[in-house]
Amino acid sequence: MSKERVRIVGAERRTDPSPFGDQGLREEWSGRVNGMADLASALAELIAWRDEHAGDPVTDQDALWIEARLEEKVSMLRFDEKTNEEIRTLTLTGEAITAVQDRFIDASKNADSAALEALAADFRRRFKPPVMPSSPFLRTEMLLSEQLMKARSKNWFDPSIKDLRRRRGIAVFKEGWPETGTSTSQPDAN
């Protein structure tokens, strides 16, 4: 048997620009991001971007791409300018990680579901990595989400499905599943 090398088609590294998105906008932002030489300016740009685009839908490819490039730049610059101890104990905004965690968890304890949603959104916008390291961010995110699920779950089964849909602003385009007249059981095999 001869051993031939199999070449996998399509596995080559892309060297040309992505065909997706607004290439002019991405090129402009690539230049801006590459020109950022210090953590303070890159972090300020990332925070400003997140504040300005907080309401953008997650399907905006260009906004997601730009935010990812800013996050990448901030992530790299933090290791040039911060010590390992600073990275582990402080957010990039200079706040103690434990103090931030305590502040948000304490605020969540007596909040209703609407206040919890706003609190969780504010936490994500302000401290999403690389502003806070991933491990403490995810731990706090999990605790806030747990509080939110508990607040939303009170009397969850009491209201009708129609009331629950109305509260959450759900538009029903097709009512009923499985479709009327269809059977969900398997026919007998004789």
Side-chain angles (χ1 to χ4, degrees):
M1 284 170 97
S2 68
K3 291 186 179 182
E4 295 180 27
R5 292 195 101 180
V6 176
R7 180 180 164 103
I8 299 173
V9 178
E12 292 84 20
R13 183 175 176 90
R14 178 184 293 224
T15 55
D16 55 331
S18 170
F20 305 104
D22 181 341
Q23 295 305 311
L25 180 65
R26 290 182 180 199
E27 188 175 315
E28 173 194 335
W29 273 95
S30 287
R32 285 176 72 173
V33 170
N34 290 336
M36 296 174 188
D38 63 290
L39 179 59
S41 64
L43 180 62
E45 191 70 49
L46 175 61
I47 290 170
W49 176 266
R50 286 180 177 170
D51 287 344
E52 187 177 327
H53 296 276
D56 288 356
V58 250
T59 56
D60 185 346
Q61 293 178 356
D62 294 318
L64 294 171
W65 186 91
I66 292 165
E67 184 176 7
R69 298 296 77 74
L70 288 166
E71 289 172 349
E72 180 180 59
K73 187 67 169 187
V74 169
S75 294
M76 294 173 67
L77 288 172
R78 72 179 169 173
F79 289 109
D80 292 341
E81 298 183 27
K82 301 280 185 185
T83 66
N84 285 337
E85 182 65 20
E86 289 173 320
I87 291 170
R88 282 195 305 270
T89 60
L90 298 173
T91 67
L92 294 182
T93 56
E95 299 168 87
I97 290 171
T98 54
V100 170
Q101 290 175 305
D102 292 344
R103 186 173 75 236
F104 277 90
I105 297 304
D106 289 345
S108 75
K109 289 188 177 165
N110 295 317
D112 64 0
S113 60
L116 279 167
E117 285 181 14
L119 189 69
D122 185 45
F123 176 73
R124 285 183 210 109
R125 181 184 52 77
R126 293 177 54 203
F127 296 105
K128 186 171 105 174
V131 177
M132 180 185 280
S134 296
S135 292
F137 174 83
L138 291 173
R139 175 74 178 149
T140 309
E141 172 76 5
M142 185 265 311
L143 293 171
L144 290 173
S145 297
E146 183 179 293
Q147 290 291 94
L148 182 56
M149 287 188 306
K150 285 178 182 177
R152 284 181 175 166
S153 295
K154 290 178 183 170
N155 302 323
W156 184 258
F157 295 105
D158 291 344
S160 69
I161 190 73
K162 189 175 185 176
D163 288 338
L164 291 172
R165 287 176 176 160
R166 183 184 44 75
R167 283 187 207 166
R168 299 297 295 166
I170 304 296
V172 177
F173 295 108
K174 186 174 183 178
E175 189 71 45
W177 184 89
E179 297 211 13
T180 313
T182 61
S183 172
T184 56
S185 62
Q186 296 293 324
D188 291 336
N190 292 14

